[in-house]
Amino acid sequence: MKKIKFTAGRVEEFACESGKSQSFLWDTASPGLGLRVTANGAKSYIFQGKLNGSTIRLTIGDPRTWDIAKAQAEARRLKVLIDNGQDPRKVKADALAAEKAARDAQEAAIAAEHDRRLRESVTLGDVWSEYIDDRIATREKGWSGHHIAAHRKIIQEGGQPRKRSPKPTKAGPLWSLSKLRLIDLTTERIEAWAKEEAKIRPSSARLAWRLLKAFMNWCASHKTYSSLVNTNPTKSARTRESLGKEKRRHDVLQREMLQSWFDAVRKIGNPVIAAYLQVLLLTGARREELAALKWTDVNFQWGSIKLSDKVEDFRMVPLTPFVAQLLTKLPRRNDYVFSSPTSKSGRIAEPRIAHNEAVAAAGLPKLTLHGLRRSFATLSEWIETPKGIAAQIQGHAPQGVREQNYIRRPLDLLRVWHVKIEAWILEQAQVDIPPLAAPLRVVAG
C-alpha cells in the first residue's frame, strides 16, 4: 500500500493507475485513512481497519467537502471505535435510528398538541363551510346549486336583510348547534336539539337532520376530523322519533283547476316567470333543472330540450309546440332561458312568490312548485299515457326489470305522448295555441 503524508497538492494530483478501476493512497499521519480514486476521476476519503479479524471499509466523504484535517480526525474516531471492539457501521446506524426516534417523538408530540387544540376549538360552524367546499370541489353527484344553497341556509345566522321582503332572515335549524365543538355534538345533545326544533319547524328540522347526518359521516372519514367523531351522534332512535316522518304532500292541479291556474299565471307581470311556471307544469321537470336551462340546451330545429338530471348526468325531453312558443318569446339577455337581470346567477331565483300570489288570486288551494311536477304525473293519466313514458319525461329512475334493462325509448316516441299530454292540458285550460311560424318536427301520434 502506497503511504504518504496527505497534502492538498498530493490529494489533488492523485489519479487512477492506467488499466485499473480504482487506486488507493494512504495517509501516514492517520492510520486507516485513505484516498480512493476511480477510473472516471471520482475521489473520496475512506477508512479501512480490521474488526474481529475481518477488514471493513467505510467512505468518509468527498475531498471537495472534507478537508484533510477533518478527514484525519474522522479516521482517528473510527479507529478508536474499532479498537474498542465497536463496529462503526452499527454505531452509525444506531445513531441514525436514535435521531429518527427523536424526530418521530417530536412530530408525535406536535401532532398530539395540534389534535388537542383542534378538539378544544373546532366547531360545527367552522367545518360546515369546509364540507360544502369539499363537496363542490369533488363534484359529488346530486349537489346542485339548490342543494348547495340548502346547506348554507340550514345553518345561517339569521337577522340578515331580505331582497324581496322587509322581514329579516330567520336563523337556520342548525344555527343553535353551529358554535358547539364537534366533540360536544353527542347523541344526547342532538336528541335535545331535535326535540326543540320539532316543535317549531319539523319539516326544516328533518332536512337539517339528514344533512347533519351526511356531514358527520364525512367527518368520520376525514383525515383531520376523524379523531373528533368516533360515532355518528345523529343516528339515534329518539332523534328519529322526535322529528317524525315527513307527511306526503297532496298538492296537485286537478283537471277542473287548469283554466283558473293558467288564467292567473299568464297574468303575472314578469313574462319570464309566467313562462317558467307554464313550462314547469307542461314538462313535469324539477324546479332547479328547468331554472338552470340554457339556450344551448334548446334545439328548436329538432324539437328537443337537454335537462340536467338527478338520476343521470342529463336527459333529453321533447320540445313540445306550446312550450316552444313560450320560449321563442323570451328575451335573450344571457346564457339562461329563464334569465333575470337582477339575480347574481343571471337566472330566476325565486319564482315561488309570484306563483303563490297567482294561486291565491285564482282561489285555488295552496300549490307548491313541486306540486306542478306532481300535477304533470297525475294529469298525464287522463289520456292513459304509459307510466314508463311519463316517468322518463320527468326523469324518474326506471322501475322494474323491463324498464331498467330492456326498454330504450327514442325521443320521437316520447314526443308522440308528450304532445298529446300538452294538447289535452291546454284544451282543459281553454288555452288557444296560435300556429307556429316555423313548425317543429313532430311525429304524428
Side-chain angles (χ1 to χ4, degrees):
M1 297 196 309
K2 186 177 181 180
K3 290 186 178 183
I4 62 170
K5 182 180 179 180
F6 279 1
T7 63
R10 289 170 175 173
V11 169
E12 177 67 26
E13 294 171 357
F14 185 60
C16 185
E17 295 182 34
S18 178
K20 292 186 176 182
S21 62
Q22 59 183 357
S23 297
F24 297 89
L25 185 66
W26 301 96
D27 185 29
T28 56
S30 298
L33 176 61
L35 177 66
R36 177 177 59 192
V37 61
T38 62
N40 61 9
K43 294 179 181 180
S44 60
Y45 287 121
I46 62 169
F47 173 80
Q48 183 171 296
K50 282 189 175 291
L51 178 66
N52 299 326
S54 299
T55 300
I56 62 171
R57 183 182 292 170
L58 295 88
T59 300
I60 293 176
D62 194 311
R64 291 173 295 183
T65 55
W66 284 75
D67 61 32
I68 295 173
K70 287 184 179 180
Q72 289 172 336
E74 178 64 10
R76 286 192 290 271
R77 186 186 70 83
L78 296 173
K79 182 71 168 62
V80 170
L81 291 175
I82 287 180
D83 290 346
N84 291 332
Q86 294 178 281
D87 188 337
R89 295 167 297 185
K90 185 176 184 306
V91 172
K92 182 178 180 179
D94 290 346
L96 291 175
E99 289 177 8
K100 184 178 184 304
R103 286 197 304 270
D104 291 345
Q106 185 179 16
E107 290 173 1
I110 293 172
E113 177 63 16
H114 178 267
D115 187 58
R116 183 188 67 79
R117 291 181 180 180
L118 190 69
R119 292 175 68 86
E120 293 179 356
S121 63
V122 68
T123 65
L124 170 63
D126 293 333
V127 186
W128 192 263
S129 57
E130 182 182 341
Y131 168 60
I132 295 173
D133 292 341
D134 178 75
R135 298 295 84 188
I136 294 173
T138 56
R139 296 175 179 262
E140 184 170 341
K141 190 173 179 61
W143 278 65
S144 62
H146 183 68
H147 194 60
I148 294 167
H151 274 78
R152 289 179 175 146
K153 185 178 180 181
I154 215 75
I155 202 171
Q156 69 182 7
E157 181 178 359
Q160 302 301 313
R162 297 177 187 265
K163 288 184 179 180
R164 301 176 180 85
S165 173
K167 296 181 180 180
T169 58
K170 293 182 179 179
L174 292 181
W175 172 249
S176 60
L177 300 176
S178 64
K179 301 300 181 183
L180 291 179
R181 300 178 302 175
L182 281 183
I183 57 174
D184 294 331
L185 287 176
T186 61
T187 299
E188 293 75 19
R189 186 65 187 83
I190 299 297
E191 288 173 354
W193 165 84
K195 190 173 182 180
E196 291 302 314
E197 286 292 333
K199 298 175 184 177
I200 308 169
R201 41 189 173 184
S203 296
S204 296
R206 279 191 292 269
L207 172 61
W209 175 54
R210 291 195 297 271
L211 300 186
L212 182 60
K213 188 189 300 184
F215 165 79
M216 298 305 289
N217 286 335
W218 176 82
C219 286
S221 62
H222 194 277
K223 63 179 181 181
T224 303
Y225 306 117
S226 58
S227 62
L228 310 182
V229 182
N230 296 324
T231 58
N232 193 329
T234 62
K235 296 180 179 180
S236 163
R238 288 184 180 179
T239 299
R240 189 180 300 105
E241 290 169 4
S242 295
L243 296 174
K245 291 184 178 180
E246 188 171 2
K247 295 180 180 178
R248 289 188 178 181
R249 293 189 176 185
H250 300 284
D251 57 318
V252 64
L253 275 176
Q254 298 294 350
R255 180 178 62 87
E256 59 273 16
M257 301 176 182
L258 288 171
Q259 184 176 0
S260 298
W261 184 85
F262 269 94
D263 288 344
V265 167
R266 298 178 83 185
K267 290 177 183 176
I268 291 175
N270 187 326
V272 175
I273 292 180
Y276 169 80
L277 294 172
Q278 292 175 80
V279 175
L280 199 61
L281 172 64
L282 293 171
T283 60
R286 300 175 181 90
R287 56 172 292 180
E288 282 301 310
E289 62 190 21
L290 187 62
L293 184 67
K294 295 183 177 181
W295 288 111
T296 52
D297 298 324
V298 182
N299 191 319
F300 288 96
Q301 179 182 1
W302 295 102
S304 66
I305 298 176
K306 181 182 179 181
L307 292 173
S308 297
D309 192 85
K310 184 177 178 181
V311 179
E312 303 292 342
D313 291 335
F314 68 90
R315 71 178 186 279
M316 302 297 295
V317 299
L319 176 63
T320 50
F322 185 71
V323 169
Q325 290 188 28
L326 290 174
L327 300 188
T328 55
K329 295 176 183 178
L330 295 178
R332 297 203 179 199
R333 302 187 185 103
N334 53 36
D335 292 340
Y336 292 104
V337 174
F338 302 104
S339 60
S340 170
T342 59
S343 171
K344 277 186 180 181
S345 64
R347 59 183 177 87
I348 57 173
E350 191 47 272
R352 182 181 55 179
I353 297 172
H355 182 242
N356 289 344
E357 292 174 352
V359 169
L364 296 172
K366 185 177 179 180
L367 180 67
T368 63
L369 295 183
H370 195 77
L372 296 178
R373 178 170 164 83
R374 191 177 294 112
S375 300
F376 177 89
T378 303
L379 294 169
S380 65
E381 296 205 346
W382 277 89
I383 59 170
E384 299 180 348
T385 306
K387 291 182 180 179
I389 285 181
Q392 186 171 333
I393 292 172
Q394 290 192 270
H396 286 138
Q399 300 296 313
V401 174
R402 290 188 75 247
E403 287 283 334
Q404 291 176 0
N405 299 298
Y406 294 97
I407 298 180
R408 300 291 182 267
R409 301 182 185 91
L411 186 63
D412 280 345
L413 177 57
L414 298 181
R415 194 191 321 277
V416 170
W417 286 97
H418 202 167
V419 169
K420 289 180 180 180
I421 295 169
E422 179 185 85
W424 183 87
I425 290 175
L426 296 175
E427 180 184 353
Q428 306 309 306
Q430 298 186 19
V431 174
D432 295 328
I433 311 177
L436 283 170
L440 291 172
R441 178 179 174 273
V442 177
V443 177

